[in-house]
Amino acid sequence: MKISPIAFAVVASLASASLAAEEATNDTDNGLDFELNIERIQVTGMNFNNYKVGSSSGAMRGDIALMDTPQSVNVIPDFVTDEQLATNLSEVLVNDSSVTGGSEKWNRQVFNIRGFELDSGSGFLINGHQQFSHYVQPIETLQQVEVLKGPSSMLYGQSGPGGLINMVTKKATSETMFDFGFDTDENGSTRFQLDAGGALNDAESIRYRTVLVKQDTKYWREYQDGEGDDSQERDRFLGYLNLEFDLHDDVMLSLTYDYTDDKTGIDRGGWLDDNGDLVGDREDIWDMSWAFTDNEVQNLGADVTWFISDDWKMTTGYNHQSFTRQRLDSSPSMVAGMDPTTDGYQIKAFDRHDDWQLKTAYMDFTGTIDAFGMEHQVLVGANILDYYYGLQRDSGDAQMVMPGDNVPRPDLDYNNGTHSESTYKHYGFYVQDLMTINDQWQVLAGLRYDEQKKDGEGENSYAVSPKFGVIYSPADNGSIYVNYAQSFNPQSIVNSDNDVNDGMNLDPEYGEQFEIGTKWELYDGGLLLTGAVFDTTVTNVTVREQLDQPIGDHEYITTQSGKQHHRGFEVGAQGQVSDNVFVTSSMMYLDAKYVTSSEDTEQLDGKTPVDAPEWSANIWTRYEVTDDVALNFGAIYVGERFANTQNTIVKDDYVRFDFGAAYSFAVHNTDMNVRFNIKNLFDTEYLDGGTNTDVTVGDGRHFSLAFEAKF
């Protein structure tokens, strides 16, 4: 079905206003309140009103309310994504229209914020620690996901101009809890979840939280290699443990460990012809059924919180992420001038093993002082990152295959192939001051120095990243802000044997942004309305293009020149709009362009980056019919996007409607919940993220059924 993007965007963004027929009676502001020196997260059982969160731990590296944050931030609580039966980070981030999805090949997910692609090495955080995210991030351990929009280099160092994704994990609890969950779908997929916590001693000074997940997923697309009607499958195990120790009345130690084992068959996505039409059927997987990727990820971390005085706090932490992956890939590709369905296509198998080791540490001092007639909320800190990457790879020869051909698994072993390594260390020092001049005016000023040292000569990078902001509060429940921020994102080398510039060192990308926005809390703080206008420019842009005609074995070329200029506006609503209606909604308009004068990339001047729609919007609502029955309605609109950098191939816009229903009941004092969801209610055919060579084909109508018991 077709719908005006402007009409849908306006309806989605303003839906909360039309629903507000009566004033909310509950204040759902979840700002952190330190009644004791040591913060303890209490779990209070079922709570259907938790759509709005009052603070973001990542936006200012501290417990500062969103209303006092001169930056666009969207916090997506786990309550909302549990309602949606989300199974991965992509299904969480559809709740923010400034985030659009990219390719999902190789069992990983790519995202763009405000049209800028998030780097898998520097675009993601877990509890403020940089997290290498070259795999599908587990979401069952998350308390909330924070979308920090715009440059955040002043606080986190290397990061992109679009923003960051900060994933906040569930914390230990002193209250005993034991939750069991199970969900399934029409394909026969299953997911079992256990979430437990409580105190380990009578004094409640030792607490824990653990999460266990076993997931077996069957997908609807099928392999075409003559091995039968085999669909792609995924087998995943997740274990998570958080322990908290009160070492003293003012000192707390938190230890965290998580383990993920995630193995799946490979589906690189679909191919598009020059008209933007899908090649073959929607169900076709062009990879061989023996291709797979197997990820093993471990995180081991420790954090200490010390309340030095009533006004000052020190936090320090360390995290070691170990991420190893084996990928046996058939690497299918179309051959120029040939129809893959009738003339065949090419595969070139390889077996590779990747080893990433990421060690991060930080120390922050935060406090409040009164000076020069103002209150100062001060942050002084430093962080370090130690990065190692090792690659082993064994490659086979290219061969032509036809759909239905039975191609045997190749005799490849990465241990017999080539080996390469790379390392770097990144240091950062930062200071930030949020100055409260009076009840109406606040000023934010921050500065950071970064240094990245790599192996070899001439590869070190240095940067100074400032950030400034001003907040004006015309009323107790509203604020208007402006900010200026810069980003610094070092680039590595071109690491692709089918790229003309394989092995070329890349310079850092630098960005700057101006933003003006406003935030308002209505209905006794139950509803948060936000809006922002932004203008972002990036230099030294890295662009990877597919060649019109391959040069030998090279199909792509990576270059760095010119600029990207992105500007637009966004609005959002989150919270309670009546006694029994709740909403989370957002809308974005984006004008994204390359601006370049280089001879190498002059053909990109004025072009729009891949997967940067002009309009996007979303809405998810909850209507509580009774105390025990609730209904959900959601819709997602994504406008037209280009599938290649030359802007010759277009993916159509689409609207996807979702529906859900839940029933709560109790059996022998055990709270239970049954949920039934329909994703893509009207079975709309659409193309999701990715280019013309790896586009994600949107799911058809999808049914999910879930059961939860809280003991």
Side-chain angles (χ1 to χ4, degrees), residues 106 266 268 271 286-288 290-291 327-335 345-352 393-401 407-412 496-499 502 550-555:
W106 304 329
I266 294 178
R268 70 176 291 116
W271 293 327
W286 301 102
D287 301 82
M288 299 294 105
W290 40 257
R327 190 167 93 222
L328 177 63
D329 202 328
S330 56
S331 190
S333 62
M334 291 190 295
V335 179
Y345 58 98
Q346 178 179 278
I347 65 170
K348 188 177 181 180
F350 61 84
D351 185 29
R352 66 182 288 173
R393 176 175 172 135
D394 188 18
S395 300
D397 297 326
Q399 64 182 108
M400 292 296 298
V401 299
V407 180
R409 175 172 172 164
D411 184 19
L412 297 172
S496 175
D497 58 4
N498 64 351
D499 196 296
D502 184 30
I551 301 176
D553 292 334
H554 300 139
E555 299 179 33

Side-chain angles (χ1 to χ4, degrees), residues 198-264:
L200 295 176
N201 61 348
D202 292 339
E204 299 183 351
S205 60
I206 305 176
R207 304 169 295 278
Y208 81 98
R209 185 75 173 269
T210 186
V211 177
L212 298 174
V213 177
K214 181 64 173 72
Q215 180 181 14
D216 295 288
T217 304
K218 295 183 179 180
Y219 297 90
W220 59 282
R221 283 165 54 87
E222 298 178 345
Y223 292 102
Q224 306 299 307
D225 61 355
E227 293 294 320
D229 295 332
D230 292 332
S231 63
Q232 180 193 12
E233 295 188 14
R234 178 187 182 199
D235 185 11
R236 180 174 71 104
F237 172 78
L238 166 67
Y240 169 83
L241 176 65
N242 175 237
L243 292 171
E244 288 183 353
F245 303 85
D246 293 346
L247 305 181
H248 184 270
D249 288 344
D250 299 318
V251 181
M252 184 179 73
L253 169 66
S254 175
L255 301 178
T256 303
Y257 174 77
D258 66 71
Y259 173 82
T260 299
D261 186 8
D262 191 353
K263 183 176 182 178
T264 181

Side-chain angles (χ1 to χ4, degrees), residues 349-361:
F350 61 84
D351 185 29
R352 66 182 288 173
H353 183 270
D354 303 273
D355 179 11
W356 288 276
Q357 300 293 324
L358 198 67
K359 301 173 184 177
T360 59

